[in-house]
Each structure stands twice: as structure tokens, then as C-alpha cells.
Short mmCIF file of all heavy atoms in Angstrom, two decimals:
data_model
loop_
_atom_site.label_atom_id
_atom_site.label_comp_id
_atom_site.label_asym_id
_atom_site.label_seq_id
_atom_site.Cartn_x
_atom_site.Cartn_y
_atom_site.Cartn_z
N VAL A 1 0.86 -1.20 0.00
CA VAL A 1 0.00 0.00 0.00
C VAL A 1 0.89 1.24 0.00
O VAL A 1 1.99 1.23 0.56
CB VAL A 1 -0.93 -0.01 1.23
CG1 VAL A 1 -0.14 0.01 2.52
CG2 VAL A 1 -1.92 1.15 1.19
N LYS A 2 0.42 2.30 -0.63
CA LYS A 2 1.16 3.57 -0.63
C LYS A 2 0.86 4.30 0.67
O LYS A 2 -0.28 4.69 0.92
CB LYS A 2 0.77 4.43 -1.83
CG LYS A 2 1.57 5.72 -1.94
CD LYS A 2 1.26 6.44 -3.23
CE LYS A 2 2.04 7.74 -3.33
NZ LYS A 2 3.51 7.52 -3.28
N VAL A 3 1.86 4.48 1.47
CA VAL A 3 1.71 5.13 2.77
C VAL A 3 1.95 6.63 2.60
O VAL A 3 3.02 7.04 2.16
CB VAL A 3 2.69 4.55 3.81
CG1 VAL A 3 2.54 5.27 5.15
CG2 VAL A 3 2.44 3.05 3.98
N GLN A 4 0.95 7.43 2.94
CA GLN A 4 1.03 8.87 2.75
C GLN A 4 1.48 9.59 4.02
O GLN A 4 2.14 10.64 3.95
CB GLN A 4 -0.34 9.43 2.33
CG GLN A 4 -0.91 8.81 1.07
CD GLN A 4 -0.25 9.34 -0.19
OE1 GLN A 4 0.65 10.16 -0.14
NE2 GLN A 4 -0.70 8.86 -1.34
N ALA A 5 1.14 9.06 5.18
CA ALA A 5 1.41 9.75 6.43
C ALA A 5 2.87 9.58 6.87
O ALA A 5 3.51 8.58 6.54
CB ALA A 5 0.48 9.22 7.52
N PRO A 6 3.41 10.54 7.62
CA PRO A 6 4.74 10.38 8.19
C PRO A 6 4.79 9.18 9.13
O PRO A 6 3.81 8.88 9.82
CB PRO A 6 4.96 11.68 8.95
CG PRO A 6 4.00 12.65 8.37
CD PRO A 6 2.81 11.84 7.95
N VAL A 7 5.93 8.50 9.15
CA VAL A 7 6.10 7.32 10.00
C VAL A 7 7.24 7.55 10.98
O VAL A 7 8.33 8.00 10.58
CB VAL A 7 6.39 6.06 9.17
CG1 VAL A 7 6.60 4.84 10.08
CG2 VAL A 7 5.25 5.80 8.18
N ILE A 8 6.99 7.26 12.24
CA ILE A 8 8.05 7.22 13.25
C ILE A 8 8.29 5.76 13.57
O ILE A 8 7.39 5.07 14.08
CB ILE A 8 7.65 8.00 14.51
CG1 ILE A 8 7.47 9.49 14.19
CG2 ILE A 8 8.71 7.82 15.61
CD1 ILE A 8 6.98 10.31 15.36
N PHE A 9 9.46 5.26 13.26
CA PHE A 9 9.78 3.86 13.52
C PHE A 9 10.27 3.70 14.95
O PHE A 9 11.05 4.52 15.46
CB PHE A 9 10.84 3.36 12.54
CG PHE A 9 10.30 3.09 11.17
CD1 PHE A 9 10.33 4.07 10.19
CD2 PHE A 9 9.75 1.85 10.85
CE1 PHE A 9 9.83 3.82 8.91
CE2 PHE A 9 9.25 1.60 9.58
CZ PHE A 9 9.29 2.58 8.61
N THR A 10 9.82 2.63 15.60
CA THR A 10 10.24 2.32 16.97
C THR A 10 10.76 0.89 16.98
O THR A 10 10.07 -0.03 16.53
CB THR A 10 9.06 2.45 17.95
OG1 THR A 10 8.02 1.54 17.58
CG2 THR A 10 8.51 3.87 17.95
N THR A 11 11.96 0.69 17.47
CA THR A 11 12.55 -0.63 17.44
C THR A 11 13.69 -0.73 18.44
O THR A 11 14.20 0.29 18.91
CB THR A 11 13.09 -0.96 16.03
OG1 THR A 11 13.69 -2.26 16.03
CG2 THR A 11 14.12 0.07 15.60
N ALA A 12 14.07 -1.96 18.77
CA ALA A 12 15.21 -2.18 19.65
C ALA A 12 16.50 -2.39 18.86
O ALA A 12 17.55 -2.64 19.44
CB ALA A 12 14.94 -3.40 20.55
N PHE A 13 16.41 -2.29 17.53
CA PHE A 13 17.55 -2.61 16.68
C PHE A 13 17.99 -1.39 15.86
O PHE A 13 17.16 -0.72 15.26
CB PHE A 13 17.19 -3.76 15.73
CG PHE A 13 16.71 -5.00 16.44
CD1 PHE A 13 15.35 -5.22 16.62
CD2 PHE A 13 17.61 -5.91 16.96
CE1 PHE A 13 14.90 -6.34 17.28
CE2 PHE A 13 17.16 -7.05 17.62
CZ PHE A 13 15.81 -7.26 17.79
N GLU A 14 19.30 -1.14 15.82
CA GLU A 14 19.83 -0.02 15.07
C GLU A 14 19.97 -0.32 13.58
O GLU A 14 20.07 0.58 12.76
CB GLU A 14 21.22 0.37 15.61
CG GLU A 14 21.20 0.84 17.05
CD GLU A 14 22.58 1.24 17.53
OE1 GLU A 14 23.53 1.18 16.71
OE2 GLU A 14 22.72 1.62 18.70
N ASP A 15 19.97 -1.61 13.22
CA ASP A 15 20.33 -2.03 11.86
C ASP A 15 19.36 -1.57 10.78
O ASP A 15 19.71 -1.60 9.59
CB ASP A 15 20.44 -3.56 11.80
CG ASP A 15 21.46 -4.10 12.79
OD1 ASP A 15 22.26 -3.30 13.29
OD2 ASP A 15 21.44 -5.31 13.05
N TYR A 16 18.15 -1.19 11.16
CA TYR A 16 17.13 -0.89 10.15
C TYR A 16 16.98 0.60 9.84
O TYR A 16 16.05 0.99 9.13
CB TYR A 16 15.77 -1.44 10.61
CG TYR A 16 15.74 -2.93 10.81
CD1 TYR A 16 15.68 -3.48 12.09
CD2 TYR A 16 15.78 -3.80 9.72
CE1 TYR A 16 15.64 -4.86 12.28
CE2 TYR A 16 15.75 -5.17 9.90
CZ TYR A 16 15.68 -5.69 11.19
OH TYR A 16 15.64 -7.05 11.36
N ALA A 17 17.87 1.45 10.37
CA ALA A 17 17.70 2.89 10.24
C ALA A 17 17.62 3.34 8.78
O ALA A 17 16.71 4.07 8.39
CB ALA A 17 18.82 3.62 10.97
N LEU A 18 18.57 2.91 7.96
CA LEU A 18 18.58 3.34 6.57
C LEU A 18 17.34 2.86 5.83
O LEU A 18 16.72 3.61 5.06
CB LEU A 18 19.84 2.83 5.86
CG LEU A 18 19.98 3.25 4.39
CD1 LEU A 18 19.97 4.76 4.26
CD2 LEU A 18 21.26 2.68 3.79
N LYS A 19 16.94 1.62 6.08
CA LYS A 19 15.73 1.09 5.45
C LYS A 19 14.51 1.90 5.88
O LYS A 19 13.60 2.15 5.07
CB LYS A 19 15.56 -0.38 5.86
CG LYS A 19 14.41 -1.10 5.17
CD LYS A 19 14.74 -1.46 3.74
CE LYS A 19 13.67 -2.37 3.14
NZ LYS A 19 13.92 -2.66 1.72
N ALA A 20 14.49 2.32 7.13
CA ALA A 20 13.37 3.12 7.62
C ALA A 20 13.29 4.45 6.89
O ALA A 20 12.21 4.91 6.50
CB ALA A 20 13.52 3.35 9.13
N PHE A 21 14.44 5.09 6.67
CA PHE A 21 14.46 6.38 5.99
C PHE A 21 13.97 6.25 4.55
O PHE A 21 13.42 7.19 3.98
CB PHE A 21 15.87 6.96 5.99
CG PHE A 21 16.44 7.15 7.36
CD1 PHE A 21 17.80 7.06 7.57
CD2 PHE A 21 15.62 7.41 8.44
CE1 PHE A 21 18.33 7.23 8.84
CE2 PHE A 21 16.13 7.58 9.71
CZ PHE A 21 17.49 7.50 9.90
N GLN A 22 14.14 5.08 3.97
CA GLN A 22 13.72 4.85 2.59
C GLN A 22 12.24 4.51 2.48
O GLN A 22 11.71 4.38 1.39
CB GLN A 22 14.56 3.73 1.97
CG GLN A 22 16.04 4.07 1.85
CD GLN A 22 16.89 2.89 1.44
OE1 GLN A 22 16.49 1.73 1.57
NE2 GLN A 22 18.08 3.16 0.94
N ASN A 23 11.59 4.36 3.63
CA ASN A 23 10.18 3.97 3.64
C ASN A 23 9.37 4.93 4.51
O ASN A 23 8.79 4.54 5.52
CB ASN A 23 10.02 2.53 4.15
CG ASN A 23 10.48 1.51 3.14
OD1 ASN A 23 9.75 1.13 2.23
ND2 ASN A 23 11.73 1.06 3.29
N GLN A 24 9.33 6.19 4.09
CA GLN A 24 8.47 7.20 4.70
C GLN A 24 8.84 7.49 6.15
O GLN A 24 8.05 8.08 6.89
CB GLN A 24 6.99 6.74 4.62
CG GLN A 24 5.93 7.82 4.80
CD GLN A 24 5.96 8.88 3.70
OE1 GLN A 24 6.66 8.74 2.72
NE2 GLN A 24 5.19 9.94 3.88
N GLY A 25 10.04 7.08 6.56
CA GLY A 25 10.46 7.33 7.94
C GLY A 25 10.87 8.77 8.16
O GLY A 25 11.67 9.32 7.42
N TYR A 26 10.32 9.39 9.19
CA TYR A 26 10.66 10.76 9.55
C TYR A 26 11.48 10.80 10.83
O TYR A 26 12.12 11.81 11.12
CB TYR A 26 9.40 11.59 9.72
CG TYR A 26 8.78 12.04 8.42
CD1 TYR A 26 8.28 11.12 7.50
CD2 TYR A 26 8.68 13.38 8.10
CE1 TYR A 26 7.71 11.52 6.30
CE2 TYR A 26 8.11 13.81 6.91
CZ TYR A 26 7.63 12.86 6.02
OH TYR A 26 7.07 13.27 4.84
N ALA A 27 11.43 9.74 11.62
CA ALA A 27 12.22 9.65 12.85
C ALA A 27 12.39 8.17 13.18
O ALA A 27 11.62 7.32 12.74
CB ALA A 27 11.54 10.39 13.99
N TYR A 28 13.43 7.89 13.98
CA TYR A 28 13.79 6.51 14.31
C TYR A 28 14.10 6.45 15.80
O TYR A 28 15.12 6.99 16.25
CB TYR A 28 15.01 6.10 13.48
CG TYR A 28 15.33 4.63 13.45
CD1 TYR A 28 14.67 3.79 12.56
CD2 TYR A 28 16.31 4.08 14.27
CE1 TYR A 28 14.97 2.44 12.50
CE2 TYR A 28 16.61 2.74 14.22
CZ TYR A 28 15.95 1.92 13.33
OH TYR A 28 16.26 0.58 13.27
N LEU A 29 13.21 5.84 16.57
CA LEU A 29 13.36 5.77 18.02
C LEU A 29 13.83 4.38 18.43
O LEU A 29 13.21 3.38 18.07
CB LEU A 29 12.03 6.08 18.71
CG LEU A 29 11.51 7.52 18.57
CD1 LEU A 29 10.14 7.63 19.22
CD2 LEU A 29 12.48 8.50 19.20
N LEU A 30 14.89 4.35 19.20
CA LEU A 30 15.40 3.08 19.72
C LEU A 30 14.78 2.81 21.09
O LEU A 30 14.84 3.66 21.99
CB LEU A 30 16.92 3.12 19.83
CG LEU A 30 17.70 2.99 18.53
CD1 LEU A 30 19.19 3.18 18.77
CD2 LEU A 30 17.45 1.63 17.89
N LYS A 31 14.16 1.65 21.24
CA LYS A 31 13.59 1.28 22.54
C LYS A 31 14.72 0.93 23.51
O LYS A 31 15.70 0.30 23.11
CB LYS A 31 12.68 0.06 22.38
CG LYS A 31 11.48 0.27 21.47
CD LYS A 31 10.72 -1.04 21.31
CE LYS A 31 9.54 -0.91 20.37
NZ LYS A 31 8.84 -2.20 20.17
N PRO A 32 14.57 1.29 24.78
CA PRO A 32 13.49 2.11 25.35
C PRO A 32 13.81 3.59 25.16
O PRO A 32 14.92 4.03 25.40
CB PRO A 32 13.52 1.72 26.82
CG PRO A 32 14.95 1.38 27.08
CD PRO A 32 15.49 0.77 25.81
N TYR A 33 12.85 4.36 24.72
CA TYR A 33 13.03 5.79 24.52
C TYR A 33 12.26 6.54 25.60
O TYR A 33 11.29 6.04 26.17
CB TYR A 33 12.55 6.21 23.13
CG TYR A 33 11.17 5.71 22.77
CD1 TYR A 33 10.03 6.39 23.16
CD2 TYR A 33 11.02 4.52 22.04
CE1 TYR A 33 8.77 5.93 22.84
CE2 TYR A 33 9.76 4.04 21.72
CZ TYR A 33 8.64 4.75 22.12
OH TYR A 33 7.40 4.29 21.81
N ASP A 34 12.71 7.74 25.90
CA ASP A 34 12.05 8.52 26.96
C ASP A 34 11.14 9.60 26.36
O ASP A 34 11.02 9.73 25.14
CB ASP A 34 13.09 9.14 27.91
CG ASP A 34 14.08 10.05 27.18
OD1 ASP A 34 13.72 10.60 26.12
OD2 ASP A 34 15.22 10.20 27.67
#
């Protein structure tokens, strides 16, 4: 599906940051975040 809205990714893994930016990612939060 074509995602129109901004996405904030939340994950415990750092490895997916670049992939997140390529898929409508506007921010990348590493768990646990404050």
C-alpha cells in the first residue's frame, strides 16, 4: 500500500535505520526511549 502519512519507527535494533528512511520514515526511536 502507498503510505502517505509520516512514520516514526520504533525498534530495539539499530540495523534498520537506513531502510526506515527509505520507507516514509521521519524519525527513528530506539527502545526504550524517553
Side-chain angles (χ1 to χ4, degrees):
V1 61
K2 184 173 179 59
V3 178
Q4 303 283 1
V7 179
I8 296 176
F9 284 93
T10 60
T11 179
F13 304 95
E14 298 182 1
D15 302 344
Y16 299 108
L18 182 57
K19 186 76 171 176
F21 302 150
Q22 295 171 341
N23 288 276
Q24 198 64 8
Y26 281 63
Y28 194 83
L29 293 176
L30 285 174
K31 298 176 182 177
Y33 49 85
D34 58 27

